[in-house]
Amino acid sequence: MSELLKKLAEDLYNGDAESVAALTQKALDDGLTPAEELENGLIAGMNAVGKDFRDGILFVPEVLIAARAMHAGMSVLKPLLAESEIPATGRLVIGTVKGDLHDIGKNLVAMMMEGAGFEVHDLGVDVPAKEFVAAVKTKQPDVVGLSALLTTTMVEMKGVIEALRQAGLRNQIKVIVGGAPVTQKYAAEIGADGYAANASTAVEKAKDLLGIA
């Protein structure tokens, strides 16, 4: 990896958005491809953030600042990535289930997944099952992420999975669930493919389910 990309990954990790945007542009000017920058700069930096978040070295505020820096770099690369049609790692539809307005955990997962190279479609909060079904039909994701922070709303996750099954879409996608009251046991009970305790493990679980190294 070039020293420039190493510096790009480090500055992203440290949340220096201004430097990340400038280095992203400099790397392009120096002849690096958008794909190289994405993989060895931005994604490498976010992978380090995810690992240290999982290990308790970084906390939510630092992750949010790093994600902001990643978006600064992505704003430079996105037009070029669209032109070069570089395939995304995978496609994710994510939302907080009906009746639940909590979004910090969901937003973290969305940012970490985007940082890992996923194309992310965030449906927001208080999302009914029919909206998840519609999004799966139109966006054709590889993974659907369901979030809930209340014991009273986590039952909606089962409803979404059942709605996907009734629509004949369940076998086309992997469903990952998460949120404070959710457990691995509950995920298994409702027929989800995976459970993630936090944003970093959500990325690992998604890659694992899709067979991505």
Side-chain angles (χ1 to χ4, degrees):
M1 193 195 301
S2 75
E3 284 302 313
L4 187 57
L5 289 180
K6 204 179 204 177
K7 173 74 170 149
L8 177 58
E10 284 172 4
D11 285 0
L12 187 152
Y13 180 95
N14 293 321
D16 190 338
E18 198 174 317
S19 174
V20 166
L23 287 171
T24 302
Q25 186 58 56
K26 180 169 174 21
L28 288 173
D29 295 342
D30 287 357
L32 272 72
T33 67
E36 285 173 315
E37 287 197 60
L38 182 65
E39 188 65 36
N40 299 318
L42 302 181
I43 290 178
M46 281 306 283
N47 281 347
V49 170
K51 182 176 178 299
D52 285 356
F53 178 55
R54 181 194 65 205
D55 294 343
I57 296 165
L58 294 180
F59 299 95
V60 170
E62 290 106 327
V63 175
L64 292 173
I65 292 167
R68 195 180 306 143
M70 179 202 75
H71 284 131
M74 284 299 290
S75 67
V76 177
L77 288 185
K78 255 183 180 164
L80 301 168
L81 290 170
E83 282 172 25
S84 56
E85 295 183 355
I86 296 163
T89 302
R91 194 175 289 140
L92 168 76
V93 162
I94 190 169
T96 303
V97 294
K98 186 181 175 185
D100 202 317
L101 301 175
H102 295 89
D103 68 353
I104 292 176
K106 169 191 66 66
N107 292 347
L108 269 177
V109 172
M111 285 188 283
M112 294 296 284
M113 293 287 273
E114 193 174 7
F118 278 78
E119 180 186 318
V120 176
H121 300 277
D122 188 345
L123 304 182
V125 299
D126 192 21
V127 183
K130 65 180 182 182
E131 279 190 36
F132 281 105
V133 170
V136 169
K137 286 178 179 174
T138 57
K139 305 299 182 187
Q140 299 185 319
D142 305 291
V143 181
V144 172
L146 306 177
S147 175
L149 203 75
L150 306 171
T151 51
T152 51
T153 57
M154 62 191 262
V155 295
E156 292 290 334
M157 292 175 164
K158 184 176 182 181
V160 174
I161 291 172
E162 187 52 41
L164 290 167
R165 188 173 286 117
Q166 288 178 4
L169 301 168
R170 180 65 187 91
N171 293 336
Q172 298 174 23
I173 42 109
K174 301 295 184 184
V175 177
I176 298 176
V177 297
V182 184
T183 62
Q184 179 64 59
K185 181 171 179 286
Y186 183 70
E189 282 173 7
I190 63 173
D193 297 293
Y195 157 74
N198 58 48
S200 180
T201 53
V203 173
E204 291 171 6
K205 179 61 70 174
K207 286 183 169 182
D208 188 43
L209 288 171
L210 299 177
I212 300 166

